[in-house]
Amino acid sequence: MANPVRIYVLHHPASDSARILTNYIYDWFRLPSLEGIPVYLRSEAPPGQLIPADLANGEGVLNYLIPLIDANLVRDVAWHDYLERLASDCPNPSANGPTPIKGSAMFPVAMDGTAFNLPASIGHRNFIRHPPLPEGLASDEQKNLAIRTAAQQTLKHLTEALARNLNARLFPKQAGQKLNIFISYARADGTDAPKKLRDYIQGETQCSAFLDENDISFGESIGTVLEHWAGETARALIVVGGDHYADRPWCRWEISRFLKPEPVLLDPSDEKGGYIQVYHPVLVLDTMEGHRMTRVIPELGQVPSMRWMPGKEMLAFSVLMREVLFGARNVLTARSRAQEKSLRPGAVVSRLPGPVVLQRFLNQSYYATSKSKEPIHVNYPGNGLSLLEQRLLEDLFQNTRLTAFRDVSRHLPDQMQTAVSGNSRPLQGKALAISFSVCSQLGELGYLSQHLDEAIIYLLRPLLRLGMDLVYGGLPPKLYTDRSRSAPDPSTGRNMTQTLLNLLNDERNAGETINESGENVGPKRPPRLFNPCPWPVCDSVSPRMKPPGSIPAAFCACWQKMPS
């Protein structure tokens, strides 16, 4: 089972506003690296049908259903029956007893006021309200900005709802309670940013925030209160990193206490079984303004960081809630891998292992006292670190082997697995030409055009590890970047050339040998992308025909090596 949590967006095929919002939802929850949650579509009906296909349910899978409801859908009676049938499989989250970590949960979005005219099983739910466009927008630029702003507001509500729901499923004792966020800051940096964050969280969300200026009673022990909030109660941490933050002992103590992992059973029914070490999410907001030298805080490792600006409270909160959601998903992924017996024997962690986190983990008595010469395996979430980061960590921890939950070689044939694990490059000097087009029937199958990018990434990643070069004649990213700035739909800014460049960047160190001076002394080089020219010029290129003069010589040599 590849993904224990999935998102399905449902909307009427005639709704352009819902289609645009669907693309925002995909980009936000899936991420360009594909490390997020899969997002699928239910909009167009197969030939001869009035409603879309059923969901692809699976054992142990949790589906989040997001209907985008507007007048087009309300007028369509067939969609009423479709949504009612789906809603009957979504239990009320407020019902007594623990909520199972499988099945379906529905979070409807009201695109306009007609949504509340649906049957009671849908219409009586607490809708997420998509903001309407303001009146009197004179230009396309103003309209597009309003569309993006409304999408961000809806994404904030969706992210919070899904994060709180999944957190309560994993930790039943927190069901029905607000998710607590700890705000860590240095008083010497001022309290403007922390107070703005606290006020936004308390007033504009369904979470609660701890700020020591107001939440430690006079006369109380500061250490006792912080131990409770930073170590036992808070489920997320915001670090407001100003000029003085790294120098403050209490601030460093708060980070250290919060980053102690919480052991969670891989199998909830087996108290003597293994654990996953859960690291709750952290977000760093950089508020540095002066010219005072400060230091990097090594404990923070791989946590996301943002530049703070007043008015960006919603974005900061949304990013943090997305980290909460992804962290909870990682726990479910580890459990599914353990059930499938596909985890390597060894440690299991819920976040990317930075050097400090990894060293602290390996300092535990179980590993520190081990006299075995066998490597210590650490299982971590995602598709895998870039080879640069992975090699750095394995150089620092030479008796440690890192294995991603969705390791690139997991489902490869034996010969390919052997080549990847041995850092062999049998495809060195060979090139694979890529061509694709968007099928008009993708919507009927429940896919977006973005899923073609996903398929290509999954197909190419193991080939790049084996040394394969790529040939693709698409337009450069700049043209798409300029186009996306003037369009409200984020899908218009997607560019396969950029996708391939990002993928090659992750694999740029495959097979290289680096000496102590940082020089590449090995005979192998990272894979390359040959981008000769866009269609239709590329049609004139063949193994027997001299390519146009505008095509680089490197491409000509590469093309000659390709089988005819």
Side-chain angles (χ1 to χ4, degrees), residues 414-449:
D414 292 341
Q415 288 183 325
M416 293 181 71
Q417 286 195 37
T418 301
V420 170
S421 61
N423 207 18
S424 175
R425 317 270 323 270
L427 299 182
Q428 180 89 40
K430 299 183 182 298
L432 177 68
I434 301 168
S435 176
F436 76 99
S437 62
V438 178
C439 174
S440 61
Q441 296 176 315
L442 278 177
E444 299 172 7
L445 300 173
Y447 296 116
L448 300 162
S449 61

Side-chain angles (χ1 to χ4, degrees), residues 102-124:
K102 60 181 180 179
S104 298
M106 181 176 287
F107 295 92
V109 176
M111 302 294 290
D112 55 44
T114 64
F116 304 99
N117 295 322
L118 285 176
S121 61
I122 306 293
H124 288 182

Side-chain angles (χ1 to χ4, degrees), residues 374-390:
E374 292 295 322
I376 300 171
H377 282 283
V378 177
N379 299 273
Y380 67 94
N383 297 309
L385 293 166
S386 68
L387 292 190
L388 176 63
E389 294 175 283
Q390 183 173 336

Side-chain angles (χ1 to χ4, degrees), residues 290-313:
H291 300 285
R292 183 179 185 275
M293 187 194 78
T294 188
R295 299 182 184 278
V296 174
I297 302 175
E299 301 97 298
L300 293 174
Q302 301 268 2
V303 305
S305 178
M306 292 176 53
R307 178 68 179 171
W308 164 257
M309 290 185 293
K312 294 296 183 181
E313 295 88 354

Side-chain angles (χ1 to χ4, degrees), residues 312-384:
K312 294 296 183 181
E313 295 88 354
M314 182 179 71
L315 178 59
F317 175 78
S318 299
V319 171
L320 183 64
M321 286 299 100
R322 187 172 62 180
E323 291 297 305
V324 172
L325 177 64
F326 290 171
R329 183 279 315 270
N330 291 341
V331 175
L332 291 187
T333 303
R335 286 179 171 176
S336 67
R337 295 296 181 193
Q339 186 178 7
E340 298 168 359
K341 311 293 185 185
S342 60
L343 287 177
R344 294 280 185 89
V348 186
V349 296
S350 69
R351 58 171 282 189
L352 294 178
V356 174
V357 169
L358 190 57
Q359 183 61 65
R360 281 182 173 178
F361 189 79
L362 297 175
N363 283 344
Q364 297 180 61
S365 58
Y366 175 80
Y367 300 107
T369 60
S370 175
K371 297 181 181 180
S372 173
K373 295 184 179 180
E374 292 295 322
I376 300 171
H377 282 283
V378 177
N379 299 273
Y380 67 94
N383 297 309

Side-chain angles (χ1 to χ4, degrees), residues 240-313:
V240 183
D243 297 289
H244 299 84
Y245 186 90
D247 299 334
R248 294 302 186 261
W250 273 114
C251 297
R252 301 292 288 270
W253 181 89
E254 290 166 357
I255 293 175
S256 177
R257 180 64 186 90
F258 185 84
L259 288 179
K260 287 185 178 179
E262 177 183 355
V264 175
L265 286 169
L266 283 171
D267 184 352
S269 64
D270 183 8
E271 295 185 357
K272 297 182 179 180
Y275 289 87
I276 176 174
Q277 304 296 325
V278 175
Y279 294 87
H280 295 298
V282 181
L283 173 66
V284 176
L285 296 180
D286 181 4
T287 62
M288 293 180 63
E289 295 179 349
H291 300 285
R292 183 179 185 275
M293 187 194 78
T294 188
R295 299 182 184 278
V296 174
I297 302 175
E299 301 97 298
L300 293 174
Q302 301 268 2
V303 305
S305 178
M306 292 176 53
R307 178 68 179 171
W308 164 257
M309 290 185 293
K312 294 296 183 181
E313 295 88 354

